[in-house]
Amino acid sequence: MIIVMKAGADKREKEEVLKKIKELGYTPHVIHGTTRDVIGAIGDERGKEALQSIESMNGVESVVPILQPYKLASKEVMKESSTIRISDSVSIGGKNIVIMAGPCSVESEKQIIDSAIAVKEAGAHVLRGGAFKPRTSPYSFQGLEEDGLKLLAKARELTGLPIVTEVINPETADLVAEYADILQIGARNSQNFALLKKVGQLKRPVLLKRGMAMTIQELLMSAEYILSEGNQSVILCERGIRTFETATRNTLDLSAIPALRSRTHLPVVIDPSHGTGNHHYVGPMSLAAIAGGADGLIIEVHPDPEHATSDGPQSLKPAKFAELMVKMRRVAEAVDRTV
Ligand code: PEP
Ligand code: MN
């Protein structure tokens, strides 16, 4: 159920409502809107009629059921899009489109620092780079792990760019959260429910990627795992799904943008690098994603893609990325956004 508070409801009235929800055996989740707060009361669906009595409490406008199975992720809970704060100067979900860029993996100090300086100069807002890598083969490079996190922190110190990096299991999640500004959950882990619950308990925004064979509804249910643990900062990411097509690494489902937009208030990011697997296709799909309403993009950029330890063929060289940034700004302007 959603308890919609009146626009002028005061703190005491809200506290009384929270207390009542708990008394009835439900967990309250406060969602701050621009004009009013709404409180999601989450728990056993069977006895939810008991919550209806809250409607007569002071400061309450209405109590309405949430029809979707993903309760807190649902647009029913909040009509307007949510804005998620990443750092003092970067937020996602507003008018500005957030560009996250950097190499697939952190490989060396020089590689990550050069990448950070290049993407910052071109105008990116967030530095990406994997320190823990979930590889399909156990024989492939698995990442520099904590040393990689330290190098990312160094790159942040130098450029001021917040960092997004992947967390691959609950055991190392606290460690990654010490360094990262955004915790990335990769496509291979997006239904790892123990991991989703763990990051739900951490106080860091989460970039949740869509699994290779995941429906939009399943993606939203995974987001719900994180939200229901108390972490309201979830960013969704479409990175291509597996289809019969072999001309691209994955099939980048750009229709996920409006499909998600109509179902959820959470911001939507597009990953054209993993979505296509080919650096020639990254530019056109980035522009299409912006035209289609994406709130952000995550793009692989490497100073020397030919020698990258992972995903070289889909990585842009810094000069190409800088050219793309210029084009992205032009398309953003056409759809009343900024980059
Ligand atoms: C990555 O971002 O480098 C990555 C492994 O992505 P995905 O989980 O989408 O494959
Ligand atoms: Mn990659």
Side-chain angles (χ1 to χ4, degrees):
M1 290 287 214
I2 319 168
I3 291 91
V4 182
M5 300 302 294
K6 285 185 178 150
D10 65 31
K11 201 164 159 241
R12 244 201 53 216
E13 290 167 337
K14 253 177 265 177
E15 274 162 12
E16 286 298 317
V17 171
L18 295 178
K19 203 170 119 205
K20 184 75 181 168
I21 292 171
K22 288 182 201 157
E23 271 171 23
L24 291 168
Y26 288 79
T27 308
H29 292 267
V30 182
I31 296 152
H32 302 287
T34 45
T35 52
R36 68 187 70 224
D37 285 348
V38 298
I39 304 168
I42 304 299
D44 193 339
E45 282 290 283
R46 288 165 298 181
K48 65 180 184 200
E49 286 71 28
L51 292 162
Q52 211 68 53
S53 63
I54 293 175
E55 205 154 50
S56 60
M57 291 178 75
N58 289 337
V60 175
E61 181 154 301
S62 60
V63 176
V64 283
I66 312 174
L67 302 174
Q68 297 297 344
Y70 40 88
K71 307 287 174 195
L72 299 169
S74 164
K75 215 173 170 67
E76 293 174 67
V77 140
M78 191 161 67
K79 300 275 174 289
E80 68 233 58
S81 303
S82 49
T83 304
I84 293 171
R85 185 188 171 281
I86 293 167
S87 69
D88 286 345
S89 55
V90 183
S91 292
I92 187 162
K95 186 173 174 178
N96 194 52
I97 297 167
V98 173
I99 309 298
M100 310 178 189
C104 179
S105 306
V106 181
E107 297 165 5
S108 67
E109 177 161 349
K110 180 169 166 37
Q111 176 249 19
I112 194 65
I113 300 286
D114 286 355
S115 303
I117 293 172
V119 300
K120 161 99 184 184
E121 243 167 48
H125 311 98
V126 175
L127 174 66
R128 67 148 287 151
F132 288 91
K133 296 301 299 177
R135 304 305 301 279
T136 301
S137 164
Y139 309 120
S140 300
F141 175 60
Q142 304 285 311
L144 295 181
E145 304 187 340
E146 191 171 4
D147 289 341
L149 296 174
K150 287 184 180 150
L151 295 177
L152 282 166
K154 210 166 195 177
R156 171 177 52 204
E157 212 174 293
L158 201 74
T159 58
L161 291 177
I163 55 187
V164 55
T165 193
E166 185 160 353
V167 44
I168 58 170
N169 57 40
E171 294 74 33
T172 52
D174 289 304
L175 174 72
V176 177
E178 277 176 38
Y179 294 90
D181 299 284
I182 307 173
L183 300 168
Q184 178 179 328
I185 303 280
R188 291 156 191 79
N189 262 319
S190 43
Q191 282 187 314
N192 178 341
F193 301 119
L195 182 58
L196 297 173
K197 282 186 189 174
K198 176 67 193 176
V199 299
Q201 291 154 11
L202 298 175
K203 303 222 164 347
R204 286 273 179 276
V206 177
L207 180 79
L208 173 65
K209 288 203 172 187
R210 180 181 185 180
M212 298 178 198
M214 214 186 217
T215 64
I216 294 287
Q217 171 139 333
E218 285 165 342
L219 174 61
L220 290 168
M221 293 311 293
S222 285
E224 193 73 12
Y225 265 93
I226 302 169
L227 297 165
S228 64
E229 290 292 327
N231 187 345
Q232 301 305 313
S233 300
V234 179
I235 304 157
L236 303 169
C237 179
E238 159 64 35
R239 48 76 74 202
I241 50 174
R242 194 161 279 180
T243 68
F244 53 84
E245 185 54 73
T246 54
T248 47
R249 182 180 178 185
N250 291 292
T251 297
L252 184 63
D253 176 16
L254 288 183
S255 63
I257 306 169
L260 287 167
R261 187 74 71 224
S262 66
R263 288 165 173 79
T264 181
H265 55 90
L266 301 173
V268 180
V269 163
I270 293 294
D271 176 347
S273 308
H274 296 87
T276 62
N278 183 330
H279 69 98
H280 291 295
Y281 306 163
V282 168
M285 296 318 276
S286 300
L287 301 178
I290 290 178
D295 296 301
L297 285 153
I298 180 161
I299 301 175
E300 287 187 340
V301 177
H302 195 291
D304 182 15
E306 289 84 356
H307 297 103
T309 54
S310 58
D311 289 348
Q314 67 194 34
S315 299
L316 294 182
K317 289 186 179 167
K320 286 276 175 231
F321 174 68
E323 281 171 30
L324 177 59
M325 283 293 292
V326 174
K327 289 186 190 162
M328 289 198 289
R329 288 195 189 100
R330 300 222 300 263
V331 176
E333 199 185 331
V335 291
D336 210 18
R337 306 280 294 262
T338 53
V339 169

